[in-house]
């Protein structure tokens, strides 16, 4: 007879373990029927504990914390304290990249190096492009190889600078505005010799009424040889007769000075350059008016625009010294203009530099051997004259004949010798 009540065996009782084994007469608990096989979850690797520094027990299971899971991802976000901040984040309050890598310090030396290389490259490319653009705009129409029987060259460089009354390309309205009239052809209104040397630069005006001898010459267009007949006339008549080549030939014959380069500009181009640089400031010692040139000036400092500048350099009827005073005004203004063109306010401002170059080069006529370097040297020399580092003067004269000015031959010879030997000029002009 079994000692177990209700006929249960110890097998049925689960060996005293209180289990419900096979053959048990009673039903399994409800939970056991539903969860036939319960597997213990595999522990997942948790991110490192995050100590927010407040010690409130809401960390990720670090020492002294409750292990409470807030349900939020503990992945690092930019702008939040870095778990691997170390010194980069200042300890517990540091900031850093989400991976915990130390912040990368910008390589300023490398950045500066490449910035400098880029700027230099842009500057070089711009300069080269500007050079070829400007060089292509020069009108190299004067062929000094056609000039015959030339004197030997000396030290330094001699430029013959000519301003003409050419109205080419000007509209009727522009002619009226600039008071140029409508005469056909072109004549020389300004003639100067600029000597550039190591002992100072010298600007010498040649009055257009100077009495000169027209030498033998070869026609610039015809190639025909015209002999010297001893004909005496005004200097500006040489240009009117056979252009720049005969003018150069006449200046060389009457002075004995070799002319290295020739530069010429007309009315419209002159006014255009002045307007392009924003006007030129002049300090006039006295005011004057001239209905022929349109001049109407008061004494004192004032900025002349293109129209006013042209009137200023053309006026001669308002002065007792007539053409001699006009040449002095021309020297003063051209030197001031060169100073403005070569100033940083023009050279460093592309909105002023390129219009100036465009206006000047389009209207400038030079000899075939003139380079941009020669042209720049000419302007810089004129700037030095205006700054007091050079000398400006009229060609020395000694009376007149038939209304034409006679040059002082002795002084002219001495002046030419000083030019040829590149000596400091001691000769005084008229």
């Amino acid at each position: 007879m079994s000692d177990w009540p209700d006929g249960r065996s110890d097998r049925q009782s689960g060996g005293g373990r209180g289990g419900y084994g096979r053959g048990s007469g009673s039903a399994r608990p409800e939970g056991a029927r539903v969860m036939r096989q319960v597997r213990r979850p595999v522990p997942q690797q948790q991110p490192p504990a995050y100590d927010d520094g407040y010690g409130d027990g809401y960390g990720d299971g670090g020492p002294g914390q409750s292990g409470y899971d807030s349900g939020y991802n503990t992945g690092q976000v930019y702008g939040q304290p870095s778990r691997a901040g170390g010194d980069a984040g200042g300890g517990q309050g540091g900031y850093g990249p989400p991976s915990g890598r130390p912040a990368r310090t910008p390589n300023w030396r490398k950045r500066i190096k490449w910035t400098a290389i880029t700027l230099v490259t842009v500057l070089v490319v711009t300069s080269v492009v500007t050079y070829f653009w400007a060089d292509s705009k020069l009108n190299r129409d004067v062929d000094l190889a056609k000039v015959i029987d030339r004197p030997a060259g000396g030290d330094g460089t001699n430029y013959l600078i000519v301003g003409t009354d050419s109205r080419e390309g000007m509209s009727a309205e522009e002619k009226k505005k600039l008071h140029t009239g409508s005469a056909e052809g072109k004549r020389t209104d300004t003639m100067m010799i600029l000597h550039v040397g190591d002992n100072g630069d010298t600007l010498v005006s040649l009055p257009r009424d100077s009495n000169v001898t027209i030498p033998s010459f070869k026609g610039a267009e015809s190639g025909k040889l015209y002999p010297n007949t001893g004909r005496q006339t005004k200097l500006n008549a040489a240009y009117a007769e056979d252009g720049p080549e005969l003018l150069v030939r006449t200046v060389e014959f009457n002075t004995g000075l070799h002319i290295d380069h020739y530069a010429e500009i007309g009315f419209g181009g002159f006014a255009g350059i002045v307007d392009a640089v924003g006007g030129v400031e002049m300090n006039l010692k006295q005011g004057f008016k001239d209905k022929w040139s349109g001049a109407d000036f008061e004494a004192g400092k004032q900025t002349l625009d293109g129209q006013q500048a042209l009137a200023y350099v053309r006026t001669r009827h308002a002065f007792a010294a007539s053409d001699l005073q006009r040449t002095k005004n021309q020297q003063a203004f051209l030197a001031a203009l060169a100073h403005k063109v070569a100033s940083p306010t023009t050279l460093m401002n592309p909105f002023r530099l390129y219009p100036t170059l465009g206006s000047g080069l389009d209207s400038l006529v030079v000899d075939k051997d003139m380079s941009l370097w020669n042209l720049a040297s000419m302007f810089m020399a004129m700037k030095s004259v205006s700054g007091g580092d050079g000398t400006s003067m009229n060609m020395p004269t000694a009376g007149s004949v038939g209304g034409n000015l006679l040059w002082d031959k002795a002084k002219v010879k001495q002046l030419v010798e000083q030019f040829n030997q590149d000596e400091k000029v001691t000769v005084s002009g008229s």
Side-chain angles (χ1 to χ4, degrees), residues 59-400:
D60 292 328
Q65 297 184 1
S66 66
Y68 169 75
D69 183 5
S70 64
Y72 290 94
N73 191 311
T74 59
Q76 179 63 34
V77 181
Y78 279 105
Q80 297 296 327
S82 172
R83 292 192 300 272
D87 292 339
Q92 292 178 342
Y95 292 83
S99 63
R101 294 191 298 262
R104 183 175 296 175
T105 303
N107 191 336
W108 290 108
R109 181 178 298 178
K110 186 175 183 180
R111 290 186 181 183
I112 292 173
K113 172 185 175 182
W114 282 107
T115 299
I117 291 175
T118 301
L119 290 176
V120 170
T121 301
V122 170
L123 181 61
V124 170
V125 171
T126 301
S127 299
V128 171
V129 171
T130 299
Y131 178 89
F132 283 104
W133 167 78
D135 188 73
S136 67
K137 295 179 75 67
L138 274 179
N139 300 307
R140 296 183 173 92
D141 298 334
V142 179
D143 189 359
L144 296 183
K146 295 179 179 179
V147 181
I148 63 173
D149 300 332
R150 308 190 67 188
D155 295 331
T157 305
N158 301 312
Y159 297 85
L160 181 60
I161 303 171
V162 175
T164 73
D165 63 1
S166 172
R167 298 151 178 88
E168 185 178 351
M170 296 174 62
S171 65
E173 183 179 351
E174 289 172 329
K175 293 176 184 178
K176 182 178 179 180
K177 177 183 177 181
L178 298 177
H179 296 270
T180 64
S182 299
E184 296 297 327
K186 58 181 181 179
R187 286 151 292 278
T188 54
D189 214 49
T190 304
M191 290 168 286
M192 300 178 181
I193 293 174
L194 174 66
H195 174 77
V196 179
D198 294 333
N199 290 301
D201 306 317
T202 304
L203 186 63
V204 182
S205 286
L206 310 177
R208 69 174 189 172
D209 294 338
S210 299
N211 192 79
V212 295
T213 299
I214 300 296
S216 57
F217 67 96
K218 182 181 292 186
E221 297 298 330
S222 66
K224 181 180 177 181
L225 182 63
Y226 295 89
N228 180 359
T229 61
R231 178 163 51 102
Q232 306 267 305
T233 186
K234 293 181 180 181
L235 180 59
N236 66 341
Y239 182 94
E241 186 173 335
D242 201 51
E245 288 83 2
L246 179 55
L247 178 61
V248 171
R249 168 74 175 129
T250 302
V251 170
E252 290 187 340
F253 178 81
N254 286 268
T255 63
L257 181 69
H258 180 88
I259 299 299
D260 297 292
H261 293 292
Y262 177 92
E264 171 193 316
I265 193 167
F267 280 164
F270 177 79
I273 293 176
V274 175
D275 286 335
V277 297
V280 175
E281 185 178 274
M282 296 293 293
N283 188 8
L284 307 185
K285 295 181 179 179
Q286 62 179 17
F288 58 88
K289 294 182 179 181
D290 180 20
K291 67 177 182 178
W292 303 103
S293 66
D296 186 1
F297 299 108
E298 296 181 355
K301 284 187 177 181
Q302 51 203 288
T303 299
L304 308 187
D305 61 19
Q307 177 184 350
Q308 295 169 321
L310 187 58
Y312 178 77
V313 299
R314 293 182 61 218
T315 298
R316 63 170 177 158
H317 297 287
F319 311 120
S322 188
D323 204 43
L324 289 177
Q325 181 59 47
R326 179 170 69 168
T327 57
K328 291 179 180 180
N329 290 347
Q330 291 170 348
Q331 287 178 351
F333 186 84
L334 290 178
L337 174 60
H339 190 277
K340 184 67 176 288
V341 170
S343 67
T345 57
T346 300
L347 297 178
M348 302 303 291
N349 183 354
F351 298 103
R352 179 167 288 177
L353 174 63
Y354 287 99
T356 301
L357 288 175
S359 296
L361 297 175
D362 277 340
S363 54
L364 197 64
V365 177
V366 297
D367 65 271
K368 293 185 180 298
D369 294 327
M370 177 80 84
S371 67
L372 285 179
W373 174 258
N374 297 136
L375 197 60
S377 176
M378 183 184 79
F379 273 101
M380 293 305 293
M382 294 183 71
K383 179 182 177 182
S384 74
V385 170
S386 72
D389 295 330
T391 303
S392 60
M393 57 185 288
N394 280 327
M395 182 65 83
T397 59
S400 62

